[in-house]
Amino acid sequence: MNHIWSWTWGWFLPLPPKYINKEFCQVGISNAEDCRAEIQKELKKKFTGKPCNILLVGVRGVGKSTLVNSFSFAFKNKEFWEELSKAGEFHHTQHRPGVTVNIKSFKFETDNGSFNIVDVEGWIGDNKPIRNKFFQLLLDGKIPWKTRVSASLTKTEDKMTREFQEVDPDRIIDRVLIVAAADAPIPNYLIDTMFVGLCLDNNRDDQVPIFGVLTKCDRVKDEKTLKDRKSDLLELCGAKNNEANMLSVCLYADAVAGKGPYKRLDWIDLPLLNFLFWVIRTKNV
């Protein structure tokens, strides 16, 4: 039986993964099975007739695919690791590791409802109007899953609007998770694009709740840097005084897929499940 986490840490890193997850384990629901049951109750209460769609937004290589797989392992409570999202899938002309090139939706079904975690290609470092328009249409449920993001961003705004006119209620985005890495500065253009997209969205009566996920925390060499990164992400999410809207966590590793049973770790499962419960429970403004 192996203990696993998303990024290797060693003697040169004073913050081991278990330490990073400790604070979240001490709050919220203390039992993983109870937390799974509460998530189902919230799905039944708030999302009858449609899934709860949770959009992951982040630059390349921050660990969105690893986050999807870790959510899956924690929520489904299976004996074997299941690699839903494969990090490093890329277009044959783009030899860049750690890139998801299409919009991908991963469905989690329960007896009381379902939710989708939607993973989008790592966003390039600019804030073009076409990118903002794409994000707006995605929020409105007009962009089909499996759409190739890079190809769509070569279109004009008018062409994109004409191509993606039909709203699918099952694709409307209900929550946004900004995923950032703790070992690098958080890019402002990503937040700018997101907020411009939200401001352009005049087709909704509600405001989509925004949350932050800070990955690669075990790569940070001191507690102050980790604290500053958390503070920056909270501020960029518009939740400076609400730490419940952010998760800083170490994740299960993609590399264990298909190699056999692994010991389940409560200090990974509980933060993930409590955060997922909070994300689904939060009301739209």
Side-chain angles (χ1 to χ4, degrees), residues 29-165:
I29 304 168
S30 59
N31 179 276
E33 196 56 44
D34 290 344
C35 200
R36 295 183 189 100
E38 290 300 318
I39 290 171
Q40 291 195 47
K41 289 180 184 178
E42 291 301 319
L43 287 171
K44 184 176 182 180
K45 186 188 304 182
K46 291 186 172 61
F47 295 94
T48 54
K50 78 171 291 291
C52 173
N53 293 317
I54 303 170
L55 175 65
L56 303 185
V57 177
V59 299
R60 292 185 173 109
V62 294
K64 297 189 300 298
S65 294
T66 305
L67 181 63
V68 170
N69 292 329
S70 295
F71 271 136
S72 175
F73 195 50
F75 182 74
K76 294 181 179 179
N77 196 24
K78 291 186 175 181
E79 181 181 5
F80 290 90
W81 177 266
E82 181 183 16
E83 191 179 33
L84 292 181
S85 182
K86 296 183 179 181
E89 292 184 14
F90 50 88
H91 192 270
H92 69 277
T93 61
Q94 296 175 315
H95 299 288
R96 286 175 267 181
V99 178
T100 300
V101 296
N102 297 332
I103 300 174
K104 297 182 179 180
S105 171
F106 304 95
K107 191 166 188 177
F108 296 75
E109 294 187 271
T110 75
D111 294 336
N112 296 309
S114 64
F115 63 94
N116 293 318
I117 296 181
V118 184
D119 187 7
V120 183
E121 176 187 31
W123 290 34
I124 301 170
D126 56 31
N127 192 25
K128 295 178 180 178
I130 191 66
R131 191 174 300 280
N132 301 335
K133 185 66 176 178
F134 181 87
F135 185 72
Q136 175 202 346
L137 295 172
L138 181 60
L139 291 175
D140 288 344
K142 295 182 178 180
I143 307 289
W145 307 145
K146 299 184 179 181
T147 296
R148 187 173 293 276
V149 179
S150 56
S152 297
L153 296 178
T154 62
K155 307 177 190 297
T156 64
E157 285 190 63
D158 288 342
K159 186 175 181 180
M160 184 182 289
T161 303
R162 290 195 303 271
E163 182 175 345
F164 302 119
Q165 295 186 39

Side-chain angles (χ1 to χ4, degrees), residues 230-246:
K230 289 166 64 176
S231 178
D232 290 344
L233 183 55
L234 278 170
E235 186 172 356
L236 290 172
C237 290
K240 188 174 182 179
N241 299 316
N242 189 1
E243 291 196 8
N245 277 33
M246 198 204 71

Side-chain angles (χ1 to χ4, degrees), residues 4-9 13 15-22 24-25 62-63 66-67 70-71 74 81 182 213-220 226 247-253 265-272:
I4 49 163
W5 36 80
S6 57
W7 288 276
T8 304
W9 63 280
L13 295 178
L15 294 178
K18 194 170 184 177
Y19 171 85
I20 295 166
N21 289 17
K22 183 178 179 182
F24 221 108
C25 289
V62 294
T66 305
L67 181 63
S70 295
F71 271 136
W81 177 266
V213 178
L214 197 63
T215 62
K216 302 189 180 183
C217 294
D218 52 329
R219 291 190 178 184
V220 178
L226 181 61
L247 173 68
S248 55
V249 68
C250 290
L251 307 169
Y252 287 108
L265 301 173
D266 283 343
W267 55 267
I268 293 182
D269 283 357
L270 282 175
L272 289 170

Side-chain angles (χ1 to χ4, degrees), residues 188-201:
N188 287 321
Y189 71 80
L190 177 65
I191 312 302
D192 293 339
T193 296
M194 186 188 64
F195 277 109
V196 170
L198 289 169
C199 291
L200 287 173
D201 195 350

